Amino acid sequence: LDDGESARWFSTRNVIIVAVVVLVVAGMWFYQAREKAQMQKQIIEQALRIAEDEKRKQAEIQAAEEDRNKARFDSQQRREGERREEQLRREALQAGREVSREVQSQTRQDQSSARQEENRRQQTERNEQAVKRQAQYEAERRLANEKSQLRSVCMQRYGRPDC
């Protein structure tokens, strides 16, 4: 082999070696770039999953807070309803007592009026009976007077008490 050929061979061999080295370096660079891109993609996906998890947790926390608020509101409404119901019950009892007192008062007044009317009727009857007794007594007294006068006349005229 002569020197020119050998120099060309070295030159071709150097080009081939440089090309292989460039290909290996480019492959390594491409592999590393691809790995880096996959890692970035995984990091982004992981960040998205974390963000979604955080949103889901926030939504759950908000839903739980809304449930607590709703339960608190329902509890307040129930207590308010119970309080109103108790107030109405007390007012109904009070109204019932007042009506009962009024009925009792009216009953007492009616009974008192009835007793007074009965007393007046009895007093009237007693007065009528007293007047009748008085009249009967007066009649008996007049009869006794007349009998006494008749006896006295019989005694004076006939000399005996029964004529």
Side-chain angles (χ1 to χ4, degrees):
L1 285 163
D2 67 13
D3 262 345
E5 231 176 269
S6 140
R8 255 190 358 216
W9 170 249
F10 279 123
S11 160
T12 303
R13 186 183 79 178
N14 285 341
V15 169
I16 290 174
I17 291 174
V18 166
V20 168
V21 168
V22 166
L23 279 175
V24 168
V25 168
M28 286 174 56
W29 179 82
F30 179 76
Y31 176 77
Q32 191 149 16
R34 198 181 87 197
E35 284 293 315
K36 188 176 182 181
Q38 281 182 341
M39 285 173 87
Q40 286 177 345
K41 182 181 174 185
Q42 287 177 352
I43 289 172
I44 290 171
E45 287 174 355
Q46 188 176 13
L48 288 175
R49 278 194 305 272
I50 290 172
E52 287 175 4
D53 287 346
E54 190 63 32
K55 282 182 184 178
R56 185 178 44 76
K57 286 179 184 177
Q58 287 297 327
E60 288 174 356
I61 289 171
Q62 187 174 4
E65 183 65 28
E66 288 174 2
D67 288 345
R68 280 193 299 275
N69 288 341
K70 185 179 183 306
R72 201 175 306 130
F73 178 75
D74 290 344
S75 176
Q76 284 176 334
Q77 291 292 67
R78 189 181 67 251
R79 282 193 306 268
E80 183 67 24
E82 289 171 354
R83 187 187 62 74
R84 274 190 241 122
E85 187 176 303
E86 181 62 28
Q87 179 67 26
L88 289 174
R89 191 174 316 130
R90 275 188 255 126
E91 288 174 1
L93 284 173
Q94 182 66 25
R97 287 183 194 124
E98 288 176 13
V99 167
S100 177
R101 280 193 296 267
E102 288 175 12
V103 166
Q104 288 174 351
S105 174
Q106 186 62 40
T107 301
R108 282 192 298 269
Q109 286 177 352
D110 291 346
Q111 289 172 348
S112 175
S113 296
R115 279 193 305 271
Q116 288 174 355
E117 185 61 34
E118 179 65 21
N119 288 341
R120 276 193 290 269
R121 187 186 59 76
Q122 288 175 354
Q123 185 64 35
T124 303
E125 284 179 10
R126 283 192 297 269
N127 289 342
E128 288 174 357
Q129 289 174 359
V131 168
K132 284 180 185 177
R133 277 194 310 270
Q134 184 66 30
Q136 186 178 1
Y137 174 74
E138 288 292 323
E140 288 174 359
R141 194 177 54 79
R142 273 191 306 242
L143 182 63
N145 263 351
E146 288 175 5
K147 280 183 180 181
S148 170
Q149 287 174 355
L150 186 61
R151 267 188 226 124
S152 152
V153 168
C154 281
M155 258 323 234
Q156 285 175 359
R157 285 193 186 167
Y158 304 111
R160 14 181 265 214
D162 58 337
C163 15

